[in-house]
Amino acid sequence: MKTLLKNGTVVSGDISVREDVLIDGEKIVKVGRNLEAEDAQVVDVNGKLLFPGFIDGHTHFDLEVAGTVTADDFETGTRAAIAGGTTLVIDYASQDKGGHTLKEGLEKWHKKADGKCSCDYSFHMSVVEWNEETEREIQDMINEGITSFKLYMTYPAMIVDDGDLYKIIKKLNEYGCFAGVHCENAGAIDALIAEAKKEGRLGPENHPLVRPDIMEAEAVHRLLVIADAADAPVMVVHLTNRKAFEEVMRARMNGQKVYAETCPQYLLLDDSVYSKPDFEGAKYVCAPPIRKKADQDCLWKALANDQIQTVATDQCSFTMEQKALGKDDFTKIPGGLPGVQTRGTLLYTYGVRTGRITQEQMCRLLSENAAKLYGVYPNKGVIREGSDADIVVFDPEKESVISAKTHLYHTDNNPYEGFKLHGDIDSVYLRGAHVVQDGKVILEKTGKYIKRGKNQM
């Protein structure tokens, strides 16, 4: 089956060009002007932008956390993702503490995901214990197509100490791999939480107060000192604020290789959301917390200057009933927000249309850079001959309003409720299959597991 997309504007990380795209089976076979193919279905995409399928390198579907399980599993989560133009998600498989192996963690996540996904999927591997067996398993993970890992500097069930942090990132580098790291100072946060509880401060408005920007920045600094000693690259995931960003830039100026990721919530929301009445602030509880307007401005400027490599979502959704687990104690509110359905449209509306970033930068942030970082380029992340036919047909003039009543998440709330969008998804092709039409998912569960190569950035 051949499909010919005519008269669209093909967007890459460098340039936007009015070209046609010919798809044959799962692949793009030709990109150029005035293409003809007698045996192809011709689709006129005049006035539309053609982006490479978006890649979300940070999702949490079907995750057990805070005494509950995320509202979205791989079925509902990837359905929302493909509707939003995301053709590949990279979720976090995890080793469990207590002598468990990486292989057990990977098997567990395959059971959660296999056969349920409406977009392609892969995994990072979270390492929570380091020993000789775990070290031996790194090559096993690479053989399974897992070339990026996750480390936590907080959360009792996930945290690794500074000594293991050093050992792990050094060993990963020897294998040509790297880790993304959740950076917060766990000990200081615990002390701040204890103070808040002692003073009877138990509402969600205290969440950003006990996880302040300086405790993220300190952890970023500590990570980068350790990474420098290990002579290893690292990624700072979900970067939220100016102080932490300055630590990244300082390390880069000293010659270190440091990648950075941020998320829409840190670009578009500020910490006033935690003070909304009637427990509404619980909707926005995530870690690290949403910061101040000045931090948003810093992050947008960093995106404009190509100093942050990717915008992911940290998708981790809960219903308000689940959030109510922390009704009397904000530390028991499950942390996380949905985001996979609106990442691209929000970045276009509030980034490209406002002139903060270009559409070519949007392509790099959502597609090209992630494809290179996570070892799937040029199979994915670009519209060119030989690449997978993962294509987002984007209507730059379509307008809509974000609402929990119409989104595809398995939740009753949306952190961007009422946000107006100018630019929206028209159609999506996943390896040549037309899976989204007029913004509606028309073909589900055709996603496949993608084995990834090494970082190419």
Side-chain angles (χ1 to χ4, degrees):
M1 174 70 180
K2 292 182 181 178
T3 304
L4 179 58
L5 303 179
K6 293 281 291 182
N7 307 314
T9 297
V10 174
V11 184
S12 75
D14 301 317
I15 195 170
S16 298
V17 182
R18 191 176 171 88
E19 288 181 315
D20 305 333
V21 180
L22 180 61
I23 300 166
D24 188 359
E26 295 195 345
K27 295 290 184 178
I28 295 166
V29 293
K30 195 170 282 189
V31 180
R33 299 195 176 199
N34 304 315
L35 297 185
E36 301 290 342
E38 289 182 7
D39 52 347
Q41 178 188 7
V42 177
V43 181
D44 186 5
V45 289
N46 185 40
K48 308 294 195 299
L49 302 174
L50 303 183
F51 284 97
F54 304 148
I55 297 169
D56 192 342
H58 195 149
T59 65
H60 298 286
F61 299 131
D62 199 357
L63 179 67
E64 297 170 33
V65 60
T68 186
V69 182
T70 53
D72 283 294
D73 61 9
F74 280 88
E75 182 175 344
T76 62
T78 61
R79 189 189 303 135
I82 199 74
T86 292
T87 53
L88 172 64
V89 296
I90 310 178
D91 206 84
Y92 288 92
S94 182
Q95 173 192 37
D96 288 328
K97 282 200 170 175
H100 293 280
T101 64
L102 303 184
K103 183 183 178 184
E104 287 173 323
L106 181 57
E107 288 173 349
K108 185 175 177 181
W109 255 260
H110 269 299
K111 284 178 183 174
K112 292 172 187 264
D114 292 352
K116 298 176 184 173
C117 293
S118 292
C119 65
D120 286 348
Y121 62 102
S122 187
F123 305 117
H124 311 280
M125 177 55 68
S126 298
V127 180
V128 303
E129 282 185 340
W130 189 245
N131 50 49
E132 288 183 2
E133 183 174 6
T134 309
E135 186 175 329
R136 284 194 295 270
E137 283 193 284
I138 297 300
Q139 184 60 52
D140 295 336
M141 293 299 105
I142 295 169
N143 295 344
E144 293 294 329
I146 293 174
T147 53
S148 49
F149 295 77
K150 176 77 175 284
L151 301 171
Y152 291 84
M153 299 173 78
T154 187
Y155 301 137
M158 311 298 288
I159 193 169
V160 294
D161 64 27
D162 291 352
D164 282 344
L165 194 65
Y166 170 83
K167 294 173 189 174
I168 295 167
I169 60 177
K170 185 171 184 177
K171 182 57 66 174
L172 290 178
N173 188 43
E174 291 175 12
Y175 282 99
C177 301
F178 70 94
V181 185
H182 179 131
C183 298
E184 288 185 287
N185 185 311
I189 288 169
D190 286 346
L192 288 163
I193 288 172
E195 276 184 7
K197 288 185 173 182
K198 190 174 182 180
E199 294 166 9
R201 296 187 285 113
L202 299 173
E205 67 277 4
N206 294 287
H207 177 66
L209 303 180
V210 303
R211 306 183 92 101
D213 57 356
I214 195 69
M215 292 309 165
E216 180 184 348
E218 184 281 331
V220 171
H221 174 80
R222 184 160 33 103
L223 166 68
L224 297 182
V225 169
I226 293 168
D228 189 28
D231 194 22
V234 287
M235 150 99 56
V236 177
V237 299
H238 48 47
L239 185 73
T240 76
N241 71 82
R242 179 182 59 80
K243 291 172 184 172
F245 172 71
E246 287 173 349
E247 295 292 346
V248 169
M249 292 305 294
R250 192 174 295 118
R252 286 177 181 164
M253 286 177 66
N254 290 333
Q256 286 184 248
K257 186 167 279 190
V258 186
Y259 307 111
E261 161 202 286
T262 194
C263 309
Q265 56 267 35
Y266 305 122
L267 296 168
L268 297 170
L269 302 171
D270 65 68
D271 62 357
S272 65
V273 295
Y274 294 114
S275 298
K276 288 190 174 189
D278 302 322
F279 200 61
E280 186 77 5
K283 182 194 301 184
Y284 305 93
V285 167
C286 60
I290 292 158
R291 305 296 187 187
K292 299 192 177 299
K293 178 70 169 60
D295 296 304
Q296 286 181 27
D297 295 340
C298 169
L299 295 175
W300 277 114
K301 187 176 179 183
L303 293 180
N305 292 333
D306 298 317
Q307 293 163 330
I308 291 175
Q309 282 64 52
T310 69
V311 176
T313 60
D314 196 8
Q315 158 88 26
C316 194
S317 60
F318 300 97
T319 64
M320 289 308 290
E321 183 180 1
Q322 289 175 298
K323 291 280 187 178
L325 291 168
K327 187 78 174 171
D328 301 315
D329 177 356
F330 71 94
T331 65
K332 291 185 170 61
I333 299 170
L337 312 173
V340 291
Q341 190 173 346
T342 55
R343 178 178 57 132
T345 49
L346 285 169
L347 202 62
Y348 185 83
T349 301
Y350 295 96
V352 176
R353 289 197 73 91
T354 60
R356 284 166 158 160
I357 60 172
T358 66
Q359 63 193 29
E360 292 79 17
Q361 285 177 311
M362 174 173 158
C363 178
R364 294 201 292 273
L365 291 165
L366 297 188
S367 305
E368 189 175 294
N369 288 353
K372 290 176 179 177
L373 271 169
Y374 299 126
V376 294
Y377 186 88
N379 214 33
K380 297 184 182 292
V382 64
I383 296 175
R384 70 161 66 155
E385 292 174 16
S387 297
D388 281 0
D390 296 343
I391 299 173
V392 180
V393 181
F394 193 91
D395 185 344
E397 298 304 332
K398 185 179 177 183
E399 297 185 43
S400 59
V401 178
I402 296 174
S403 172
K405 292 178 181 176
T406 54
H407 70 202
L408 295 184
Y409 308 122
H410 198 49
T411 64
D412 55 357
N413 66 91
N414 192 303
Y416 309 104
E417 186 74 36
F419 272 59
K420 294 179 180 177
L421 298 175
H422 194 142
D424 211 342
I425 309 301
D426 180 79
S427 294
V428 180
Y429 292 84
L430 175 66
R431 285 177 286 101
H434 193 186
V435 293
V436 175
Q437 183 174 11
D438 299 323
K440 302 286 190 293
V441 179
I442 58 171
L443 186 60
E444 297 183 21
K445 298 184 182 178
T446 59
K448 70 176 185 181
Y449 176 70
I450 301 297
K451 286 190 171 186
R452 298 183 288 111
K454 304 284 179 72
N455 173 19
Q456 298 159 267
M457 280 195 84

